[in-house]
Amino acid sequence: MIRYQLRCSAGHEFEGWFPGSTAFEQQAKRGLLSCPQCGSADVTRALMAPAVHTAGPQQAGDAAPQPAATPPGHASGGVPDAMIALLQKIRQTVEEHCDDVGDRFAREALDMHRGRSAARGIYGSMTPQEQAELDEEGVDVHAIPWVRRADS
């Protein structure tokens, strides 16, 4: 994940986390980014200070510390608490207002896209191959990091 400092046209600054460097550009181009304070969709990357690591010299043979492994689909321990809280609220809202279709997600999304079933909010899982098929078909879906529930 890459963290960018973002700024809207009104001058509000906020953080954004993206899976890769091109993800910001793609989301901005599609109008998917907005300022959490004023709602402006005119969002750009702000100037950021570089991250400088000042660890002391390592002894020969010492391995650099490795981050703990994170299960796929779960947020890592390095994610700020405020972001975890926001993702927990998003999860709660999704679970309250959308249907869990499990591993039938791609099939259900495609049926709604083609008009075979009524449009509704759904969530579930899909394989990378199913994601590619939905992309090819033009079905707009969004992956949300699925964090533990706030009450667990």
Side-chain angles (χ1 to χ4, degrees), residues 53-66:
H53 299 281
T54 59
Q58 293 184 343
Q59 298 292 326
D62 284 354
Q66 297 295 315

Side-chain angles (χ1 to χ4, degrees), residues 6-88:
L6 304 175
R7 179 180 296 130
C8 76
S9 58
H12 301 122
E13 290 199 10
F14 53 99
E15 284 184 359
W17 290 76
F18 302 90
S21 60
T22 59
F24 167 81
E25 300 298 334
Q26 292 172 343
Q27 290 181 29
K29 183 178 179 181
R30 294 175 60 199
L32 299 175
L33 303 176
S34 63
C35 174
Q37 290 179 299
C38 68
S40 171
D42 185 9
V43 175
T44 59
R45 285 186 278 199
L47 185 61
M48 292 180 56
V52 178
H53 299 281
T54 59
Q58 293 184 343
Q59 298 292 326
D62 284 354
Q66 297 295 315
T70 302
H74 292 78
S76 74
V79 177
D81 290 342
M83 183 174 276
I84 295 293
L86 179 59
L87 290 169
Q88 288 171 331

